[in-house]
Structure formats: C-alpha cells, structure tokens
Amino acid sequence: MSLLRRAERCLASQQTHAALNAFIQRRNNGAVLELLETASSRSSIGRPRSSIDGSFIALKDNICTLEEPTTCASAILEGFRSPFEATVVARLKAAGAIIAGKTNLDEFGMGSHSTTSIYGPVQSVHKDDGETLSAGGSSGGSAVAVATGQCDAALGTDTGGSVRLPAAYTGIVGFKPSYGMASRWGVIAYANSLDTVGILARTSSMARQVFGGTLSFATEVRWLTQIDIIQGFDARDPTSLSESTRSKINKKSLKRERPESHLNHRLTCLRIGIPIEYNTDGMQPQIREAWIRTLEKLRLHGHSIHAVTLPATKMALSAYYVLAPAEASSNLAKYDGVRYGNKGSDRDGRNSVLYSATRGAGFGDEVRRRILLGSYTLSAAAVDNYFIKAQKVRRLVQDDFDNIFALQHPLRDPKLYENASHGQIQGPGQLKRGNPAIDLILAPTAQSLPPRFGTLGGGLESYSADVLTVPASLAGLPAASVPVPCAGKPGFTGMQIMGQFGDDDMVLGFSEHVQGLNPTPTAPNGPQID
C-alpha cells in the first residue's frame, strides 16, 4: 500500500472514531500531507530514511513536542508549551516518521483505565452487550488510536504496566523496553526509576521497527544493517544506558547458549518459564484457558515449558504502590503555579500558604491521592517501615528474575552467578539457583478481561489491574503484551513475554513468533493497515 493511501485511511479513521476521544490534539492535515509527499519522494527514488519513513506515529501527551501543548491531561498544565521536544520525538522525525498528534491518558499517567483526564475518558471501540469496555491505562489513548487504525503506531509510557495493559485490553501489541534503553529526556516524569517509553502497534514487527537497534538472534550481517530509532544513548538523560553498556549487552546476547537456534528469526527450542505465582486466585477462567492454549501451541512448535517460582511476586504490587507514589510526590512538587503550572486562586499567598489552592484546583482526585500517599511514605515517621522496605522488596523481585534466566544480567557482578548455589533467596543481592534456567517468561498480561466502562470505580480493583505487569517494571525488564484469542468479550486477551534485562530483541522476536501462531484481532469498522 502506498504511503499516501495508508495516510488517507488513517486520517479517515481519525474522523470516524473521534468520539472515542483517543486524541487530545491531532496534527493539521495540510502539514501532514506535506510531510507525506516528502517521504513519498524519498521512497520513490529508493532513499527512505528508515523502515518507518512516512509512518504515522501518535504520542502520549506526557511526551514533549514543539508543535502542540503538552498537558499530561491535567488542568495544572493546560496550554503548557514545551520549549524543547523529547529525544524520542526528535529521533522519530529524523527517521522520517510523521507525528499524528497527542493522545489522551490518565492524568500524569496515574490510572489503569484512562478515565482521569480533564479532556474526558478514553473509550474502547470494543463492547460487551452494547456497553463499552475499558481501554486500559494510562496509555489508553495511544492504544485506541492504534487499534482503530488512526495511526500506524504510537508511543506511550509504562511505569507499572501502562503500555501493556491497554494493549491487552484493545487487542494490539504493547512493548516496554529495558529500563534505560530509550531516552526519557523530554518525557514528563511520574516515577523516575520506573518510567519507560513504550511502543504500541498492531504487530510486533512494527513495534520492532519503531524501536530499532540490533537483532541479537540474527546474523551479524543483518545486525549491522539495523539502525536505532527510539532506542539509543542520550547524554541528556542520566538514566540512559551508555554506549559501552549497550555494546556489552549485545555481546552477551550474541554469545548466548545455543546461538544456532536464534538465527534468521527461527526461535526454536526455547525454554519458556511459567511462573506459578502468576496463576492467581483472581484470574478469570477464560484468561487461564487462553494461557494454556498458547503454551500448548508453543510446545507443539518445539519449545520446552518449565514451571518456575518467583516468590517475591506476591509483594511486588504493594511495593510498587509505595515506591511510585513516593517518587511522584517529589516529581510533582514543582507544579505550584510559580515554577510550573497554571496559577489558581488569588487566595494563594495568604496566611503563609503559597500554592495550596493552585495545586488543589490543578490536580485531580487520583493525583492528589497519590501525592498524599507518597508524602506520607517518605515522612520521617514512615520511611523506614514503608519506603525502605519497599526498596528491599524491589531487590528481591530483581533477584527472583536473575535466578531463573539463563542469560546473566549484564549489569550485575558475574561473581554473584559464579557463587550462586541451589536453594531459596535469603536476602537482597544473593543469587541462589533453584529453578530451571530459562530463556523467556510467558504469562497473562492481565488476570481479567477488560471491565465494562460503566462499572469502573476508584476502588482497590483498579490498582490490582497491574498485578501481573508490575514485577517486570520493578526489575526494569523488557516485556511485551501480544494479543491471543480468548473466550468472552472482546474475544482476545494479552499474553506477556518477559526477558532478561537487555534482551529486548529476543522479546520482540518471540512476540512475532507468538503473534504468528494466532490471528490478529481487528477493531470493528477499523481499517486494516498493511
């Protein structure tokens, strides 16, 4: 399909599905078509900038751009224009991608159903008995835009599952890279140690193209032909992995055991881990059945299935909801109407209170709730009992993953692996091999199908939606959600593939493999993007 024809279908879909509220602001059609003509000219002479030259890419509205306001769907930043654009945006433009616009989200990325935006909730195109289903959050706008063909792919941010959960709820692919692989410079922070720029696309192949970089299971010649798109070192981001670290990761991946099984995308005879802790009591039978069917298909294709244990998983969600709000309370302190944010009432400044009214009016209920929670857990009276203990749990979660992956963590001391012995973990930083050495983990992305829009509330159930995605975020691991058929509405669910830190290419390659075993669901009335 020509670039022009594909763009016309995306623009038409944006009009058709405008009521879903996926976009906060769309690019002007004239500007888009002008960029498209330039991309088409490059393609016609065989000189495209990259594999995504001329592709429509949408951006979550917490990623700074020069052309549109960046609001984080919050009243306190309404109308804010950044004086610079995010590194990932600049890299997309350099690769020839066309920015489709800014997508809706939960305010400051805090939520699981994309309902807390000041611009109104995002609605999924999928329904159950006529009632709209949740689009997931917080990157729900990006997910719906991709699922309905309003763009070729979209960027979101994943703090505890905010890319993978919407992908599972809308039937698309959601990929969270290893922490530090993609620059966070120009991305408005929620929780610095957890935030990761992620990709939403209809296929794993498209997600790979947007990510760019090396192919650890490909031939060296093919590896050399790859270029970075959103991934790559950024000196302006202190959490960005250095070039030397990336080189170290690539060398470890290329030297992995049984390299012949990873050539030319023939991902055969992999050892797939099934964490028993992910088989939760709250998992719906349809999800468990889809999990079992996917494992059976993989077994028939030559992969071996191994039960593994990740004991700290049961504490991961609790630790996350201590650590993330704590970091958020610090990050959001600057929105006071003086340094950043819209100034609220004239009452500010009276009685020695400088900005209480501004923050009270500018932040929504969920953001205020998490600021209060984070402020408490960082207080002198509570920091030891909450924040410090949560950090220890985080290390236990990381150790659990390092205990089961055959590929060693590239940033950890190799002596930890040399000295590891069989048994259970007894303390943070102690590696004790007691599981089969596996290549990847496969488990459901969510323990339930998307809830009906009308039943959504602010109770504990909204926080537990991330129970299966949070562990990979705490450990900084790459993870991708891939749609698979499932009984019940909307007819699919997400299977989550997790790999060792830095093994992003293996995760993406296996995601393509899993997606190839199952037909890709299509959105009602949504155009197919070839």
Side-chain angles (χ1 to χ4, degrees), residues 1 5-14 149 527-530:
M1 182 185 295
R5 177 60 179 153
R6 191 171 66 186
E8 288 174 346
R9 296 180 72 170
C10 287
L11 293 173
S13 185
Q14 289 178 9
Q528 290 288 338
I529 304 300
D530 296 336

Side-chain angles (χ1 to χ4, degrees), residues 82 215 221 298 356 371 405 529-530:
S82 172
L215 299 175
V221 172
L298 292 171
S356 60
I371 289 174
F405 282 121
I529 304 300
D530 296 336

Side-chain angles (χ1 to χ4, degrees), residues 290-336:
W291 189 11
I292 293 171
R293 283 197 304 270
T294 303
L295 291 172
E296 181 61 18
K297 288 181 180 180
L298 292 171
R299 188 185 66 79
L300 293 175
H301 278 74
H303 305 289
S304 58
I305 310 301
H306 305 271
V308 296
T309 181
L310 301 169
T313 292
K314 296 179 180 179
M315 300 180 285
L317 188 68
S318 298
Y320 171 81
Y321 277 110
V322 171
L323 297 174
E327 294 189 34
S329 68
S330 176
N331 283 325
L332 271 60
K334 58 179 164 287
Y335 302 109
D336 53 15

